[in-house]
Amino acid sequence: MFPVIPHHAMKDVPRTVQVFQYDTSATAGRQPLLIVPGRNDERYRYFHMQKICRYLHDDPRFRQRYKIFLFRYNTMAPEKTIENQFQVAIRELSKNQGRPLTIVAPSIAGNRVRNAMAYPLVDLSVAKLITLGSPFHGTPLLSRDWMRYSLLSHHAWPVRLVRSAAFSVFFKRNSYLLQNYYWDDFDGQEPTIGAHEAGLHSRVGETVVLPNMPPGGSAGAPWHKVIAYAGYIENKQTGKVAAKKKLPVLNRLAFLFGTTFPAYFGRQHPMLRYLNNEIARVPVNDQARRDYAFNDGIVPISSSLSFSSAGPTEAPLGSADWFQQIKTKVGVRRARLFPNIDHVTFMYGTGPSGRNVDLPDKLSPEEKPRPIFAWLLSDILDSADEQFTASTATSAESAR
């Protein structure tokens, strides 16, 4: 019997993966749904997953078919340690429940589960993985020299010094993110930055091989089990927000007081609007490209949808008109793309405006718009997956 998730914050640091159940109801033949929190969430009440859990659990169809479990682990531990712990914990939970798991994993938790699934017996223990804004190709935000160079290029000296210092503090405190989630440059758009240009030592030009990228950009196993969600915040580069040419000083002050200042006080939506703008205009090799304009404040959609290596070349993101073309260039089983949401929308349900609104899936315009958690529920309950899940369960049982 697993303990019930506590209603209070937990300050200790777990040494290994701890498994909690959302409530004490009997499994009674239901399928296990595992929710894996992201960075630093192990210290917070409900691991910051209370809104997702509550929404799913309140649906009678879900309660009839699924029971919720959650992982708690040291999210600051070395990646290899987490990966090894996940391999054991996923297999044990699947074995305990007698069937493979459906997993929901936001942000870098999606990378960690996906990397653990590279181990065949773990793959057999997973029926479906739904990732929410996971940086499968990394992100320019965590490419230190690239971001510093961009700050120096776009800001006057008083502002760029302050913002560069803020980024430096962040990078120093989160060095493990830089080591594991920097841009893998699968699209060849990261520019060559020399020390004479940036005033910094650059790692650009190194050969980068990350486990986050699907081999050869294919959608082969276990990527065929992944349903990837991505989102982006509208900005001037996406073509939906008009550039304000008049009164530039007032426009800059409005942006400063609307994003930067609130961000320093820990407000996440303003912080992500600010970061969205910085990622959108990072310098690239092809100045006509705007691929990174489509990002959720942390991750470009080409990363969270796990574009194949040919994706950016054959379907560049010059504008939203290209969305239907990129649908065939993703390296996952199913991809969903939502406009005007940010990175924390996947966990909290609300977008940059602070409201919970109906969202269209830009890659499936024939489907009815709905709130982000309703999309998640529909993909969990998708009856078209039943045969796939059943065949996975049979394979897992035979492997044991």
Side-chain angles (χ1 to χ4, degrees):
M1 176 66 70
F2 299 105
V4 177
I5 185 172
H7 296 185
H8 56 81
M10 302 176 69
K11 299 301 182 183
D12 66 301
V13 178
R15 295 185 178 181
T16 186
V17 175
Q18 301 171 344
V19 182
F20 292 86
Q21 56 179 335
Y22 184 68
D23 60 25
T24 57
S25 62
T27 301
R30 292 180 294 170
Q31 299 177 42
L33 177 88
L34 172 63
I35 298 178
V36 183
R39 186 176 75 93
N40 285 337
D41 288 339
E42 74 272 23
R43 298 177 181 272
Y44 293 92
R45 184 171 179 262
Y46 283 104
F47 318 146
H48 271 162
M49 297 294 111
Q50 64 266 40
K51 292 189 176 181
I52 290 178
C53 289
R54 188 181 304 121
Y55 185 93
L56 296 176
H57 190 262
D58 284 349
D59 188 274
R61 298 168 299 168
F62 177 88
R63 288 198 309 273
Q64 184 179 10
R65 292 169 55 185
Y66 286 92
K67 178 177 174 62
I68 299 176
F69 297 87
L70 298 100
F71 272 0
R72 181 174 185 260
Y73 60 102
N74 180 7
T75 61
M76 306 289 282
E79 293 295 306
K80 191 61 179 178
T81 299
I82 295 175
E83 181 181 326
N84 292 338
Q85 291 179 352
F86 275 22
Q87 289 177 4
V88 174
I90 289 172
R91 288 186 63 194
E92 288 184 348
L93 179 57
S94 173
K95 184 176 181 180
N96 176 274
Q97 295 298 298
R99 59 185 64 204
L101 313 175
T102 295
I103 302 179
V104 175
S107 194
I108 62 175
N111 294 58
R112 289 163 168 174
V113 173
R114 165 59 189 83
N115 292 344
M117 288 171 63
Y119 186 61
L121 291 180
V122 179
D123 179 38
L124 288 173
S125 300
V126 178
K128 179 166 51 180
L129 169 61
I130 303 177
T131 62
L132 311 175
S134 297
F136 291 120
H137 289 296
T139 170
L141 178 65
L142 300 177
S143 300
R144 182 189 60 190
D145 295 341
W146 193 6
M147 284 304 301
R148 284 179 173 175
Y149 177 56
S150 183
L151 290 171
L152 293 174
S153 302
H154 291 112
H155 297 293
W157 71 266
V159 176
R160 74 188 185 192
L161 288 179
V162 173
R163 294 190 173 177
S164 182
F167 269 87
S168 296
V169 171
F170 172 79
F171 291 150
K172 187 174 182 179
R173 291 179 177 176
N174 298 275
S175 58
Y176 79 100
L177 291 176
L178 274 70
Q179 294 168 4
N180 296 284
Y181 300 103
Y182 59 81
W183 192 246
D184 65 9
D185 203 29
F186 79 107
D187 56 354
Q189 289 304 304
E190 186 174 7
T192 301
I193 302 170
H196 65 286
E197 295 174 284
L200 304 158
H201 174 69
S202 175
R203 69 148 192 89
V204 176
E206 297 176 3
T207 300
V208 181
V209 180
L210 296 181
N212 305 325
M213 184 176 178
S218 70
W223 288 94
H224 71 291
K225 296 181 179 180
V226 176
I227 299 174
Y229 282 31
Y232 63 94
I233 305 171
E234 300 284 12
N235 55 58
K236 290 185 291 186
Q237 283 79 15
T238 64
K240 292 294 184 180
V241 178
K244 298 178 180 179
K245 298 180 179 180
K246 296 182 180 180
L247 302 176
V249 174
L250 293 181
N251 292 334
R252 290 175 184 174
L253 286 175
F255 184 80
L256 182 68
F257 284 99
T259 59
T260 308
F261 281 179
Y264 277 112
F265 288 96
R267 294 183 57 193
Q268 290 179 303
H269 290 307
M271 169 62 83
L272 292 171
R273 286 202 303 272
Y274 160 66
L275 294 177
N276 164 257
N277 187 66
E278 295 293 353
I279 297 172
R281 60 182 184 176
V282 291
V284 295
N285 284 330
D286 183 353
Q287 293 300 321
R289 298 282 288 270
R290 291 184 291 177
D291 294 28
Y292 310 137
F294 296 90
N295 73 83
D296 62 11
I298 300 290
V299 185
I301 67 171
S302 54
S303 182
S304 47
L305 294 183
S306 187
F307 271 26
S308 66
S309 55
T313 301
E314 298 177 8
L317 286 171
S319 71
D321 297 336
W322 292 89
F323 285 163
Q324 287 305 306
Q325 295 187 46
I326 68 172
K327 189 173 182 178
T328 61
K329 307 302 177 184
V330 298
V332 294
R333 172 180 166 199
R334 184 184 305 156
R336 296 204 181 277
L337 176 60
F338 306 104
N340 211 28
I341 67 170
D342 59 31
H343 198 67
V344 297
T345 301
F346 296 119
M347 291 177 287
Y348 302 150
T350 55
S353 64
R355 294 180 295 142
N356 189 349
V357 298
D358 289 343
L359 299 167
D361 175 9
K362 291 292 188 179
L363 301 184
S364 299
E366 70 282 359
E367 296 191 55
K368 182 180 178 180
R370 64 199 78 167
I372 189 67
F373 289 164
W375 281 108
L376 180 61
L377 177 64
S378 68
D379 280 326
I380 292 172
L381 297 178
D382 189 354
S383 59
D385 291 338
E386 291 299 321
Q387 185 176 358
F388 179 84
T389 301
S391 64
T392 303
T394 302
S395 300
E397 189 62 32
S398 63
R400 296 189 184 104

